[in-house]
Amino acid sequence: MPATRTKRPRRRTLRQILGGVRRRARRAAGTLRRVWRRSLQLQVVTSTLVISVTVVVVLGVFLSDQINKSVIAGRQASAASEAFADRVQIEDALNRTPDEQPPPANSGKKTPVNPLDSVMDSITGSIEDGSKKRYEVLVLNAAAPAASRASGNLTPGNVPEGLRQGMERQVGKLPNDKPQRHQALIRFDGEVQPRLTLVIGGLVTPESGGVYEVYHFFPLDEEEQMLSNVRLAIVVVGFGLVLLLAAIAYLVTRQVVTPVRLARQAAERLAAGKLDERLKVRGEDDLARLATSFNEMAGNLALKIHQLEELSQVQRQFVSDVSHELRTPLTTVRMAADLLYDSREDFEPMASRSAELMQAQLERFEAMLADLLEISRYDAGAADLDLDSVDVRDVVLRAIADSEALAERHATRFELRLPNEPCMAEIDNRRVERILRNLLFNAIEHGEGRDIVVTVGADRDAVAVAVRDHGIGLKAGEETMVFDRFWRADPSRARTIGGTGLGLAISREDAALHGGWLQAWGQQGEGSQFRLTLPRTAGADLKGSPLSLVPPEIEMRRTWRGQMTPVLLPASGDGAVHDEV
């Protein structure tokens, strides 16, 4: 028995994972862009937030900087004053002899005391009396290190290097001694974390000789704590102010946007045909007046639409009634005209010619009457399809066969470009054949006797037929007007084949009834091309056409000239853009 092989799950590569992440990011970004573009309230609130945050940050930084400078400057000034007073005491004490020093407190005997010890106790506060030290003092004598003194845990290593070097440079400039300041983070002995400390250094030159460097260490812990509290307060107040401004912007925009949104929804329902849609009027402000104006506009629009519908109904009914009523007298006239036409050889030349002209005009009148009846059926919504699955190539061949006699009279030839495989589609054979005949007749009339190219194409979803002539072409903007009823590109140009002016309009309605497109392209001096695109399956939505609307030779010429510009043309019936070339 053969061993069964277990199918291992396929592992996703890093590129696939990154591709999925990028796709999700693009979808999320697209969703955010759509929400941003569609929400006026979101735009206003976001703009208010951005502006508020910017203003609060700028003001907060400015206030924090000013408060910081004020506090530090005040502390530096008081520290400089205290340091100057201490240096005076130290210099006065160093100028005395040990015998001249006052006795220690609570001592009845006069004992010699080191001058620096007594002044250090008086400056920083002795430990015995329990007073809190405000700062620490370091007195250095480079010539006699044993004469140096320090309070607390100070060591010469605590002096910043830059300040020490500056003091050494000042020694040679005596008596022009100027105190120097330095602010740095200093880690004292016995402490883990460094502290921000203001160090002020000065020189003392006693009468006995020598130079003493005096350094005062003023910790800025209290100032730092105060400034930290101030910064925290500024951040909290700024954050609260931003939220307050955002809430105000939200409420204000809500009061404005909500009525506008309701008006937009009402306008959409009104555009959808709900003519009884109205807005509620509350108050007498501008928004209430807008709602009142909207309601008046909706009422007037509904009245006008009702009047136009009645007028259109009357017109359609009139055309239908007249078309039907004309058929009876036309039949009688046609019978008499046929009798005269068959006997025209027995008449005099003038009467014979009159019989021929009457016969031709009666045929044209019958065609126009048939077109009017067809248009009236479309206007009344009574047109329907008799669907059958047929080969579009056969329909094209029948339409060309019906047009060959007219093409021979105009010295025009047809060039067929048919695919080898069948192009099956569910269509109304009669209506599609009529569309193609109208397109061929139009190409013959405006083709100036040049060849007409008929191309058939198909793909999985649609079939298409393109009729290309090389005549006078169309001007810019006439690609959609050519399907209007009774429209003529050149009013001074007479119709040579006796058309009614309704052929392309009916063809457009036939194409729309199939769910297809009938589109036109034209360029003066290059001719024109009409393209009919139909879905293979009845009721299916078209997504594209198997044939290009612009002729291939024109597109190739544009490519050579570097003019690959997208051409957007509206489809028939709905005015929407369905194809890109």
Side-chain angles (χ1 to χ4, degrees):
M1 182 175 180
T4 59
R5 298 176 58 186
T6 58
K7 186 177 181 180
R8 296 182 180 179
R10 186 177 60 181
R11 296 182 179 179
R12 299 179 62 188
T13 63
L14 179 60
R15 179 178 298 178
Q16 292 174 339
I17 295 175
L18 294 177
V21 172
R22 284 194 295 267
R23 286 193 295 271
R24 286 192 291 270
R26 283 195 296 267
R27 286 196 295 269
T31 303
L32 289 177
R33 282 195 298 269
R34 286 193 298 271
V35 173
W36 170 262
R37 288 195 300 265
R38 295 180 179 179
S39 178
L40 178 62
Q41 189 171 8
L42 178 61
Q43 295 177 13
V44 174
V45 173
T46 303
S47 302
T48 304
L49 275 175
V50 172
I51 296 174
S52 302
V53 168
T54 303
V55 172
V56 167
V57 168
V58 172
L59 291 178
V61 171
F62 175 76
L63 290 176
S64 178
D65 184 65
Q66 293 298 317
I67 294 173
N68 183 71
K69 288 181 180 179
S70 177
V71 172
I72 296 301
R75 181 57 174 157
Q76 289 178 350
S78 63
S81 177
E82 293 178 357
F84 177 76
D86 291 346
R87 284 197 302 273
V88 172
Q89 293 184 27
I90 292 174
E91 185 175 3
D92 182 65
L94 291 175
N95 288 332
R96 299 176 188 175
T97 60
D99 296 337
E100 297 176 349
Q101 299 295 331
N106 303 324
S107 176
K109 295 189 283 184
K110 188 174 182 180
T111 306
V113 181
N114 191 308
L116 282 179
D117 294 337
S118 61
V119 75
M120 291 290 287
D121 290 339
S122 63
I123 290 174
T124 61
S126 62
I127 298 177
E128 288 79 4
D129 60 10
S131 61
K132 184 179 180 181
K133 296 182 180 181
R134 296 167 297 170
Y135 52 86
E136 305 291 345
V137 181
L138 174 65
V139 180
L140 293 179
N141 189 334
S148 301
R149 293 290 185 274
S151 63
N153 298 325
L154 289 180
T155 61
N158 295 135
V159 180
E161 186 65 25
L163 179 60
R164 186 67 179 272
Q165 294 177 359
M167 294 297 295
E168 291 176 356
R169 289 193 296 268
Q170 288 286 344
V171 173
K173 299 180 180 180
L174 293 174
N176 297 324
D177 173 29
K178 292 183 180 181
Q180 296 191 13
R181 303 174 186 175
H182 192 88
Q183 187 171 314
L185 288 172
I186 299 176
R187 187 170 64 84
F188 298 96
D189 291 347
E191 296 182 1
V192 179
Q193 297 294 333
R195 290 189 293 168
L196 182 64
T197 306
L198 174 63
V199 184
I200 299 178
L203 299 178
V204 174
T205 56
E207 296 177 355
S208 59
V211 178
Y212 288 84
E213 300 175 13
V214 181
Y215 298 96
H216 287 75
F217 292 79
F218 295 90
L220 300 178
D221 297 340
E222 296 181 359
E223 288 76 10
E224 274 294 303
Q225 183 64 33
M226 183 184 68
L227 291 176
S228 177
N229 294 334
V230 169
R231 285 192 291 267
L232 180 61
I234 291 176
V235 171
V236 172
V237 172
F239 184 73
L241 181 61
V242 169
L243 292 181
L244 180 62
L245 291 175
I248 293 174
Y250 175 79
L251 293 177
V252 172
T253 53
R254 183 180 178 84
Q255 293 179 352
V256 177
V257 171
T258 299
V260 174
R261 185 178 293 120
L262 293 176
R264 187 259 302 169
Q265 294 173 354
E268 291 177 350
R269 289 191 290 268
L270 188 66
K274 299 180 180 179
L275 301 180
D276 56 345
E277 186 68 28
R278 299 294 184 271
L279 291 176
K280 294 181 180 180
V281 180
R282 299 175 181 175
E284 298 179 356
D285 55 5
D286 292 336
L287 293 175
R289 293 167 61 187
L290 173 63
T292 303
S293 301
F294 178 87
N295 293 337
E296 293 178 355
M297 178 196 69
N300 295 331
L301 183 61
L303 178 60
K304 294 296 183 183
I305 290 177
H306 182 67
Q307 293 176 351
L308 291 175
E309 286 179 348
E310 290 182 348
L311 179 59
S312 177
Q313 181 65 27
V314 170
Q315 290 177 344
R316 289 197 298 267
Q317 189 65 34
F318 174 77
V319 172
S320 179
D321 294 343
V322 169
S323 300
H324 282 88
E325 292 297 329
L326 285 177
R327 294 184 68 87
T328 300
L330 180 61
T331 303
T332 305
V333 174
R334 180 58 186 244
M335 292 173 61
D338 289 342
L339 182 60
L340 294 175
Y341 183 77
D342 293 338
S343 304
R344 67 184 183 279
E345 296 180 357
D346 299 334
F347 299 154
E348 295 180 359
M350 292 294 293
S352 177
R353 180 57 179 167
S354 298
E356 293 176 354
L357 292 176
M358 184 173 62
Q359 182 74 9
Q361 294 303 317
L362 278 174
E363 291 178 354
R364 182 179 179 186
F365 186 68
E366 284 183 337
M368 182 178 295
L369 187 59
D371 290 343
L372 287 174
L373 287 173
E374 189 69 20
I375 285 292
S376 65
R377 280 194 289 270
Y378 277 114
D379 292 339
D384 54 359
L385 294 175
D386 183 12
L387 297 175
D388 192 13
S389 180
V390 298
D391 190 348
V392 176
R393 298 180 302 173
D394 298 335
V395 181
V396 171
L397 293 176
R398 286 196 300 270
I400 290 177
D402 295 339
S403 308
E404 283 183 348
L406 182 62
E408 290 178 357
R409 290 200 298 268
H410 288 76
T412 302
R413 294 189 309 168
F414 293 116
E415 179 183 344
L416 296 179
R417 299 176 181 177
L418 304 178
N420 296 326
E421 298 179 355
C423 303
M424 305 302 295
E426 295 179 359
I427 60 175
D428 188 329
N429 194 7
R430 178 181 63 87
R431 294 182 184 275
V432 174
E433 189 173 339
R434 181 170 60 188
I435 295 174
L436 297 178
R437 279 200 306 268
N438 287 330
L439 296 181
L440 292 173
F441 289 170
N442 182 76
I444 292 172
E445 182 174 1
H446 298 89
E448 303 294 330
R450 299 184 180 93
D451 291 350
I452 296 175
V453 181
V454 181
T455 308
V456 178
D459 58 16
R460 184 181 60 182
D461 301 321
V463 294
V465 181
V467 179
R468 168 83 160 102
D469 67 74
H470 300 80
I472 57 177
L474 297 172
K475 298 178 182 178
E478 294 182 349
E479 295 87 354
T480 55
M481 298 171 60
V482 71
F483 297 105
D484 294 341
R485 299 175 184 181
F486 300 107
W487 182 85
R488 298 174 68 181
D490 186 3
S492 63
R493 179 185 174 93
R495 289 191 174 95
T496 60
I497 62 175
T500 63
L502 296 172
L504 291 180
I506 294 175
S507 299
R508 179 180 61 179
E509 298 292 345
D510 285 335
L513 194 61
H514 283 82
W517 308 334
L518 182 57
Q519 299 165 294
W521 169 91
Q523 185 175 334
Q524 284 190 313
E526 297 291 347
S528 60
Q529 177 165 292
F530 288 78
R531 183 186 65 181
L532 172 65
T533 307
L534 300 173
R536 280 184 175 269
T537 304
D541 293 332
L542 287 178
K543 298 180 181 179
S545 179
L547 298 179
S548 173
L549 183 57
V550 180
E553 65 273 14
I554 301 298
E555 190 65 43
M556 189 177 299
R557 196 178 306 164
R558 286 181 180 176
T559 305
W560 290 342
R561 296 176 181 176
Q563 299 177 351
M564 284 295 292
T565 305
V567 178
L568 300 179
L569 294 172
S572 62
D574 56 359
V577 175
H578 291 287
D579 194 19
E580 268 190 27
V581 180

